Amino acid sequence: MFYLKVLFYKVIMQVLKLAGKLVPQTQPFIFTGGYSSLALTKLIIDQDTKHVFIVTDAVLNKLGITKGVCNLLAEYQVKVTIYDEVTPDPSESVVNNGIALLRKQQCDLVLAIGGGSSIDAAKMIAVLAHSSQTIKSVAGLLKIRKQGLPLCVIPTTSGTGSEVTMAAVITDTENQSKSLVVSPKMMAMATALDPVLMQGMPAKITADTGFDALTHAIEAYLSKYANAQTDQFSLTAIKLIFKELPTCYHRGDDLAARQALALASCYAGLAFNKTNVGYVHAIAHQIGAKYHSPHGFTNAVVLPVVLDFYLKGSEKRLADMAKAIGIDTNNLTSVQAAEQFILAIKELQADVGIPKTLNCIEEKDIKSLAKSALKEAHYFYPVPKYLRPSQCEKMLTQLCTP
């Protein structure tokens, strides 16, 4: 029965791969460098924008991260409404409250300033601003009927890559699950990778979001949808993250390292936007929805456990990544090189304070978590190797065993 399911999954994957090639995918204009957020703001002004709806969180707003953008907009008589009620793993109510405020203020452009949660919320607010569709009705693949308001993005973390993707994840608090929405209609018009806004990022968030980007790049490279272009994005991102994440973690004010890590996150986003993700995300999404464990942190802990499972069958691709980060693979077999890459990930975890296990997982939930993870992954994620329910349960047990 398992092998029949695998065959069916493979057929579905081929159909989705073909469909993906037919879907038009635009790419945001990308500003980079110190104070590039102000260059993006000038672009917004030049679009004859009248009223900007800024989506962020209360902490960033209180720290004054939005101040430079708001001052420049005010200088050109562009009105601003700040919605700073975004919480980690934004819920449907966060999005719906934002939509209600945007409509009341009659804003004509949405600007996300923040991490992945703010960007995901902004995407949904922009695309549903003047739509009769609901979050539940658009959950899934290509269900959004019409283009929403223009969207611009200024990420303040280097992790999600959401500034260049056509996906958003919204939490259903009632069912303790996460809804994935995918549509090219959610793609941002422009983004700014401004290291000045990232230099004050706490070390823990730097580590968590850096590993989120690393997970995107690795799962993109292992994806059955990978191609020459996404491979280049993935390998470049992996190389940059291994090089720059320790620097950003230990010396957060290093602007050059921050800029490089921001680019790595962006490259990883460009890669998985076309390849999708895999079991690391499928498992992490369930843990995050159930226990409110931060997404990047959860990905970081889950990553090596899933790669151990992929080792047999994906050793060549894992060996490629080992070579990309500078491991001498000349006298190693593909399996040995792959093992060295997984070991390097564990060493990077230790360097930036990522633990080996999660203490939030309860044994009684393991079976249902595994079932939900496989339900998310199968038919949708082009994984290189298929998990049985018992294997997924074993992984979850390993993740919560001290």
Side-chain angles (χ1 to χ4, degrees):
M1 179 63 73
F2 175 74
Y3 294 105
L4 286 175
K5 285 184 177 180
V6 169
L7 179 61
F8 183 64
Y9 297 151
K10 288 181 177 179
V11 171
I12 294 295
M13 285 299 102
Q14 289 302 313
V15 172
L16 290 175
K17 185 176 182 179
L18 177 61
K21 290 181 178 179
L22 299 176
V23 175
Q25 293 187 25
T26 58
Q27 182 176 309
F29 187 87
I30 302 172
F31 294 88
T32 63
Y35 301 102
S36 57
S37 55
L38 299 183
L40 172 58
T41 305
K42 190 63 170 61
L43 173 68
I44 292 172
I45 294 165
D46 290 342
Q47 296 294 312
D48 198 28
T49 305
K50 305 299 183 185
H51 197 154
V52 175
F53 190 75
I54 294 179
V55 180
T56 187
D57 64 62
V59 173
L60 289 179
N61 195 25
K62 188 175 181 180
L63 288 172
I65 298 297
T66 61
K67 189 175 181 180
V69 169
C70 289
N71 287 345
L72 184 56
L73 289 171
E75 185 180 333
Y76 285 84
Q77 290 78 51
V78 178
K79 294 181 181 179
V80 174
T81 293
I82 298 178
Y83 178 62
D84 66 356
E85 297 179 19
V86 177
T87 54
D89 301 318
S91 64
E92 292 185 8
S93 63
V94 167
V95 173
N96 290 333
N97 290 342
I99 292 171
L101 180 60
L102 180 148
R103 290 174 178 172
K104 181 180 179 180
Q105 298 297 325
Q106 299 182 334
C107 302
D108 56 353
L109 182 141
V110 177
L111 172 61
I113 303 178
S117 294
S118 293
I119 298 171
D120 282 1
K123 285 179 177 180
M124 297 306 301
I125 290 169
V127 83
L128 297 179
H130 299 299
S131 172
S132 61
Q133 289 185 282
T134 64
I135 295 171
K136 282 186 171 61
S137 71
V138 300
L141 186 64
L142 306 178
K143 293 184 179 180
I144 297 173
R145 290 195 293 264
K146 65 178 184 178
Q147 196 71 41
L149 288 178
L151 171 69
C152 292
V153 176
I154 302 174
T156 58
T157 63
S158 301
T160 67
S162 189
E163 67 272 10
V164 291
T165 71
M166 58 178 180
V169 179
I170 302 299
T171 299
D172 183 338
T173 51
E174 183 179 346
N175 297 317
Q176 293 185 318
S177 63
K178 293 192 176 185
S179 297
L180 178 65
V181 183
V182 180
S183 172
K185 291 183 173 61
M186 289 197 298
M187 189 69 76
M189 175 179 75
T191 184
L193 308 178
D194 190 340
V196 174
L197 300 184
M198 301 177 185
Q199 60 184 339
M201 196 191 316
K204 176 172 171 33
I205 296 177
T206 297
D208 291 353
T209 55
F211 257 91
D212 192 19
L214 181 61
T215 302
H216 292 151
I218 291 173
E219 291 204 301
Y221 195 72
L222 293 173
S223 168
K224 289 295 185 182
Y225 291 174
N227 56 46
Q229 184 188 48
T230 62
D231 283 354
Q232 186 175 18
F233 282 137
S234 296
L235 292 177
T236 302
I238 292 165
K239 181 178 179 179
L240 286 172
I241 292 166
F242 266 88
K243 180 183 178 184
E244 306 294 354
L245 180 55
T247 302
C248 291
Y249 179 79
H250 295 290
R251 300 194 306 277
D253 60 349
D254 189 317
L255 285 181
R258 287 289 187 193
Q259 180 70 79
L261 196 61
L263 284 170
S265 175
C266 183
Y267 292 152
L270 289 169
F272 91 84
N273 192 50
K274 293 188 176 181
T275 64
N276 217 319
V277 287
Y279 284 128
V280 179
H281 275 77
I283 293 171
H285 282 159
Q286 315 319 311
I287 296 170
K290 182 72 176 177
Y291 307 111
H292 309 293
S293 176
H295 176 67
F297 169 75
T298 312
N299 271 346
V301 180
V302 174
L303 178 60
V305 176
V306 172
L307 293 185
D308 283 337
F309 167 73
Y310 284 151
L311 181 58
K312 187 177 179 181
S314 297
E315 60 268 27
K316 174 64 173 62
R317 300 289 278 181
L318 289 165
D320 291 343
M321 290 184 272
K323 188 174 181 180
I325 64 171
I327 294 174
D328 185 357
T329 62
N330 288 329
N331 296 317
L332 300 177
T333 65
S334 291
V335 171
Q336 290 172 331
E339 290 172 338
Q340 288 297 305
F341 179 65
I342 297 172
L343 177 61
I345 289 174
K346 294 175 181 177
E347 290 172 346
L348 183 60
Q349 282 180 319
D351 189 14
V352 298
I354 301 291
K356 296 179 180 179
T357 57
L358 297 162
N359 58 17
C360 61
I361 301 175
E362 297 183 25
E363 188 176 348
K364 64 181 178 64
D365 297 327
I366 286 176
K367 193 174 286 291
S368 62
L369 288 170
K371 182 178 180 181
S372 297
L374 297 187
K375 181 180 178 181
E376 176 180 321
H378 295 162
Y379 306 108
F380 198 51
Y381 294 166
V383 294
K385 183 180 179 181
Y386 288 91
L387 267 173
R388 294 174 183 269
S390 60
Q391 291 171 317
C392 191
E393 290 170 19
K394 184 177 179 181
M395 282 184 186
L396 286 160
T397 300
Q398 182 182 342
L399 286 166
C400 66
T401 303

